[in-house]
Structure formats: structure tokens, C-alpha cells
């Protein structure tokens, strides 16, 4: 499972550069780094991207996230470890990732809008969008080996 299936980044480098630039832009936000990494890790879990789960859980630790909360991330709804702001972000991230279950509901969007300014909400939606793009590459092509 750790071997590269198709190095899409090397085979289409101009597209990889564009996505990398979008990723870099999506990181220049006012959102807390630990929150961003929680969202990236949770979306990566949902999408089954092993490389991204590994990367973003490590990045979350670097941003100050605890192991206990990272371990509880798949069951965040069932734990008291997350703030209302984090819960709203995780709920929106899950809904935006699972669009085949239906569109993001007004209730889910409203809970996020109650916790974030409009700018922060826009930044959060971009964060979710970009990690979903990376996950689709990672889960399909497996272009990067796990170390």
C-alpha cells in the first residue's frame, strides 16, 4: 500500500503546481492552524487518503493538537473534547465532503455561520475544498509513498 500507483504530480506538473499554489493560498487565512489541521485530518479520514491522514495528524500535533483529541476525531460528536466552534467546522467539513448524501443543509451551514465570521467561513470552505481535491488525488492515484 505504500508504493506509488501513479505519480500524477510528476506526470502533469503544471496542474500540480496550480493545486499547490491554491493550497498555499488557502493557508494564508485567519483561522487557527490547529483548527485547519483538524478539518484537513477529518476530511482525509472520510476520503480514505492514508497519506493525507498521516500528514495532517502530524501537522496538527505540530500546531499544538493533543493525541487524545486526534484519536477521538473520528467520533468527535461523542466526546466532550471539542469546542462549539470546532464542532461547527467539523460538521460543515463532513457535510461538504459527503455531498453524495445530499447538499449541505441550512442547519449545518447556519451552525457554522454562527461560529465564524463571513471571512472565516469563506476561508473554512476553501480549506475543505482544497483538502478534498488533494484527497481525491491521494486516494485514487496514491502518488506519494508513506514513509
Amino acid at each position: 500500500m505504500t508504493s506509488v500507483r501513479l505519480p500524477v504530480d510528476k506526470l502533469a506538473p503544471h496542474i500540480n503546481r496550480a493545486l499547490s499554489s491554491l493550497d498555499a493560498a488557502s493557508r494564508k487565512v485567519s483561522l487557527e492552524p490547529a483548527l485547519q489541521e483538524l478539518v484537513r485530518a477529518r476530511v482525509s479520514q472520510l476520503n480514505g487518503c492514508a497519506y493525507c491522514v498521516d500528514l495532517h495528524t502530524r501537522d496538527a500535533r505540530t500546531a499544538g493538537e493533543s493525541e487524545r483529541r486526534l484519536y477521538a476525531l473520528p467520533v468527535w460528536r461523542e466526546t466532550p473534547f471539542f469546542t462549539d466552534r470546532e464542532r461547527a467546522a467539523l460538521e460543515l467539513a463532513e457535510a461538504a465532503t459527503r455531498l453524495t448524501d445530499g447538499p449541505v443543509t441550512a442547519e449545518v451551514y447556519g451552525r457554522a455561520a454562527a461560529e465564524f465570521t463571513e471571512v472565516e467561513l469563506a476561508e473554512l470552505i476553501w480549506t475543505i475544498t482544497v483538502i478534498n481535491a488533494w484527497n481525491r488525488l491521494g486516494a485514487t492515484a496514491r502518488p506519494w509513498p508513506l514513509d
Side-chain angles (χ1 to χ4, degrees):
M1 285 269 205
T2 62
S3 63
V4 170
R5 181 181 283 170
L6 183 69
V8 292
D9 50 344
K10 292 175 179 56
L11 295 170
H14 63 294
I15 302 170
N16 188 71
R17 282 191 301 275
L19 186 54
S20 292
S21 292
L22 179 59
D23 184 72
S26 77
R27 291 170 183 275
K28 295 176 184 171
V29 297
S30 60
L31 297 173
E32 310 91 276
L35 175 65
Q36 291 176 65
E37 293 307 328
L38 280 176
V39 166
R40 289 182 183 112
R42 182 63 185 133
V43 169
S44 298
Q45 289 171 344
L46 294 173
N47 286 326
C49 182
Y51 180 88
C52 292
V53 168
D54 180 61
L55 175 68
H56 294 295
T57 53
R58 284 186 286 125
D59 288 350
R61 291 286 313 282
T62 300
E65 196 52 69
S66 73
E67 285 187 32
R68 186 178 194 193
R69 285 171 31 111
L70 288 172
Y71 296 149
L73 193 54
V75 292
W76 63 268
R77 284 180 177 85
E78 308 302 320
T79 71
F81 308 146
F82 300 93
T83 67
D84 289 344
R85 181 176 169 89
E86 292 164 337
R87 289 175 178 282
L90 292 168
E91 183 180 37
L92 181 63
E94 288 184 359
T97 299
R98 294 177 167 152
L99 290 174
T100 56
D101 292 346
V104 176
T105 65
E107 294 79 16
V108 168
Y109 185 86
R111 283 190 285 276
E115 293 292 332
F116 295 91
T117 68
E118 284 188 332
V119 169
E120 290 173 331
L121 189 54
E123 294 170 346
L124 178 59
I125 292 168
W126 277 110
T127 298
I128 295 164
T129 300
V130 172
I131 191 57
N132 267 289
W134 283 120
N135 289 166
R136 274 137 180 82
L137 290 172
T140 304
R142 295 187 189 138
W144 316 287
L146 285 170
D147 297 331

